[in-house]
Amino acid sequence: MTSYTCVACQSTDWFGIFQMGDVPVHCNVLWPTAEKARCAQRGDIRLVCCRNCGMIYNRAFDETLLQYGEGYENSLHYSPSFQQYATTLADGLVQKYHLVDKDIIEIGCGGGEFLSLLCQEASNRGVGFDPSYPTAQETPQQPAGIHIIRDFYSPKYKAQQADLICCRHVLEHIPTPNKFLSNVREAIGDRTDTIVFFEVPNSLYSLRDMGIWDIIYEHCSYFTESSLARIFLKAGFDILDIRETFGKQFLAIEAKLASQTSNLSCEETSSIGEVVDLALSFGEKFRKKAEIWKRNLEYGAKEGKRMVIWGAGSKGVTFLNAVKAETKIEYVVDLNPHKQHKFVPGTGQEVISPDALKAIKPDVILVMNPIYLEEISGMLKERNLASELVCV
Ligand SMILES: [Zn+2]
C-alpha cells in the first residue's frame, strides 16, 4: 500500500490503530434474500490516526466499491426519539439564525425529512441534493416549498445560493473532505451571511465511550472536534459553534465565511493528546469487546435463548459481522418499513417489524443504541412482550 498523508492536515506523522478485514462495504443497502446478502461486496478497514490533528481515517478505503444509488436506505426518522431530536435541532437553527422566508440547501438530504422540518414552520424555501432520492417518491409527496435534485452537490450548482447550507452525515463518507468543503466555500461566493451547519458522527464516542459498532466501511473519515475544526478553518470558515449532540454520538458545527478575526482557533478546539491516547488503546479494546459478545451469544445459544437485535443500521450490521453471529441471531428489528423483509449484508438475518416480535417472543433483545432504550421498552409493553433488553 502506498504511503499515507493525513487527509485533514497533510501530516505524515500517523500510526495504525485498528484493522478489520472483509466487512460489507454498505451497511445501509439491505438485500432481497439471505443468500444475496451473504455475497455482498466486502472491503477492508485499516484505521490510522494523525498525531498532528487527531484525524482518524481508513487508509484502505476504496470509493469505487461504493454505490449510493436507489437501494441506499439510512433514514432514522421512523424512530419517534430521533424525530424529536431532529425537530428540536431544526427549530434551534431556525431560531438562532432567524431563518424565516429564507433559502435553505441541504446536501445529502435523504428523503428530505430534515429539510422539511427546517422549511415548513418558517416559510423557508428548500433545495435538497441526494443521488439516492427515489424516483417513485417524487414531487406529489414532496412538501410545499421543497425541491429535491437527484445528484451530488457540486460547484455546478453554485448559482443556487442559500442563507443556510446544511449537511448531515455526509462528510464522513467523502475521501477528500478538504476538497468537499472548499467546493462549498466556493459555491457560497461572497455571501458572508450564509450559515453552514454540518453534523457528523463523533469518533470520540467510539474511542472514549466504546461505541465501537460505529466503525463502518462507508465512513472513511472519523472526526473529533479538533480535526473537524481544522478542516473548516483551513477551507476558509470561521467556526461559530462546535458541540457534541445526540447523547455525545454526533458532532455539530456551525460556521460562516472567515472574517479577519476567527472566533475559534485550532488550538482552542484542540484535544489531540486525548484522541491520540485513546486511539493507541482502541484496537485492543475493540478486540476484547467483540470477544466478550461472541462468548455472550454462544452462552445464550447454548441456553436455548431466542435472541434478536433491535436496529438494522450501521451499528447492528457491524455488530453482527464483527461477532460472526450468523446462526445465533435470527432476526433484526427495525422501525424503517423500507428495511423490513430485507436481509442484513454479510450475515443474512431478516429485518422484521416490531409487530413481528409477537410471534417470535424473543427472550433477549440486544439494543444497538442505548439512546432508544426507553422508546423500545415502551413499544414492547404495548405488545405485551417481556423480553429482556440488553444494550450492546
Ligand atoms: Zn492530520
Side-chain angles (χ1 to χ4, degrees):
M1 194 173 288
T2 53
S3 63
Y4 171 76
T5 52
C6 174
V7 294
C9 75
Q10 280 72 54
S11 167
T12 52
D13 187 8
W14 54 269
F15 58 96
I17 64 174
F18 173 71
Q19 294 196 26
M20 188 159 51
D22 277 336
V23 299
V25 297
H26 276 301
C27 288
N28 292 304
V29 174
L30 300 176
W31 295 82
T33 68
E35 290 71 32
K36 283 186 178 163
R38 291 189 194 106
C39 297
Q41 172 75 52
R42 291 166 190 266
D44 296 337
I45 293 175
R46 289 187 195 185
L47 293 188
V48 295
C49 178
C50 171
R51 275 198 179 85
N52 186 47
C53 75
M55 178 74 178
I56 293 168
Y57 194 79
N58 174 16
R59 67 182 295 234
F61 183 74
D62 176 1
E63 68 175 322
T64 63
L65 299 181
L66 296 168
Q67 298 273 323
Y68 291 103
E70 210 178 309
Y72 187 76
E73 175 58 53
N74 71 340
S75 177
L76 302 173
H77 284 263
Y78 296 96
S79 153
S81 317
F82 189 82
Q83 183 71 31
Q84 183 57 50
Y85 165 73
T87 304
T88 306
L89 177 62
D91 290 349
L93 287 169
V94 165
Q95 280 172 24
K96 187 170 178 182
Y97 296 111
H98 313 293
L99 298 168
V100 178
D101 193 23
K102 295 284 170 72
D103 293 298
I104 296 176
I105 284 178
E106 187 177 11
I107 305 170
C109 64
E113 298 92 344
F114 189 67
L115 188 57
S116 297
L117 290 174
L118 284 168
C119 292
Q120 64 198 7
E121 296 295 327
S123 308
N124 292 314
R125 298 164 292 275
V127 177
F129 290 86
D130 204 311
S132 69
Y133 187 71
T135 34
Q137 281 180 15
E138 250 191 307
T139 32
Q141 286 95 343
Q142 282 185 22
I146 298 235
H147 175 58
I148 295 178
I149 298 172
R150 201 176 302 104
D151 194 3
F152 289 101
Y153 181 69
S154 70
K156 77 175 175 185
Y157 294 106
K158 68 198 285 184
Q160 193 82 54
Q161 291 295 356
D163 299 285
L164 174 75
I165 297 182
C166 162
C167 181
R168 302 173 62 232
H169 302 270
V170 171
L171 196 63
E172 66 275 18
H173 297 255
I174 311 278
T176 50
N178 280 349
K179 191 164 169 246
F180 183 83
L181 281 182
S182 297
N183 283 342
V184 173
R185 163 73 188 81
E186 193 189 321
I188 292 172
D190 57 3
R191 287 186 52 148
T192 52
D193 51 353
T194 297
I195 300 296
V196 173
F197 175 83
F198 273 57
E199 188 179 76
V200 295
N202 179 13
S203 70
L204 213 49
Y205 179 73
S206 301
L207 297 175
R208 177 195 58 202
D209 305 318
M210 289 311 287
I212 64 170
W213 317 115
D214 287 334
I215 308 292
I216 63 171
Y217 192 87
E218 282 150 305
H219 296 171
C220 45
S221 300
Y222 294 82
F223 294 100
T224 58
E225 268 192 30
S226 55
S227 54
L228 187 64
R230 184 170 290 251
I231 63 163
F232 271 80
L233 292 169
K234 209 169 169 186
F237 290 99
D238 270 352
I239 296 163
L240 304 169
D241 189 22
I242 183 164
R243 60 187 184 276
E244 293 180 327
T245 60
F246 198 60
K248 300 183 180 178
Q249 296 183 28
F250 300 162
L251 272 180
I253 186 166
E254 291 158 21
K256 61 179 193 172
L257 291 196
S259 57
Q260 294 297 326
T261 51
S262 176
N263 286 352
L264 218 57
S265 72
C266 278
E267 287 68 33
E268 282 171 303
T269 63
S270 163
S271 53
I272 299 165
E274 183 195 7
V275 173
V276 168
D277 285 347
L278 288 166
L280 283 167
S281 58
F282 180 73
E284 181 59 13
K285 285 184 187 162
F286 186 107
R287 196 192 58 73
K288 275 190 183 153
K289 188 166 175 179
E291 196 53 46
I292 287 168
W293 274 104
K294 252 184 226 178
R295 282 208 299 271
N296 286 349
L297 294 189
E298 276 162 20
Y299 182 74
K302 220 182 269 176
E303 296 275 294
K305 291 193 170 164
R306 293 204 91 174
M307 297 176 282
V308 304
I309 278 192
W310 194 294
S314 303
K315 291 177 172 68
V317 174
T318 304
F319 173 79
L320 289 166
N321 279 277
V323 303
K324 308 211 180 317
E326 284 85 342
T327 56
K328 297 170 193 82
I329 306 243
E330 280 175 277
Y331 299 102
V332 180
V333 182
D334 202 284
L335 298 178
N336 184 339
H338 301 296
K339 292 190 172 188
Q340 292 160 10
H341 314 299
K342 291 186 180 156
F343 295 82
V344 169
T347 50
Q349 285 82 3
E350 185 180 353
V351 181
I352 57 171
S353 70
D355 281 334
L357 287 176
K358 286 188 272 189
I360 296 166
K361 293 190 174 53
D363 299 296
V364 180
I365 296 177
L366 303 175
V367 177
M368 291 314 304
N369 192 336
I371 214 159
Y372 299 127
L373 199 55
E374 207 181 308
E375 172 178 304
I376 296 168
S377 178
M379 288 184 184
L380 293 182
K381 267 191 203 126
E382 281 167 18
R383 290 163 178 82
N384 293 319
L385 286 163
S387 314
E388 182 189 357
L389 290 177
V390 180
C391 285
V392 177

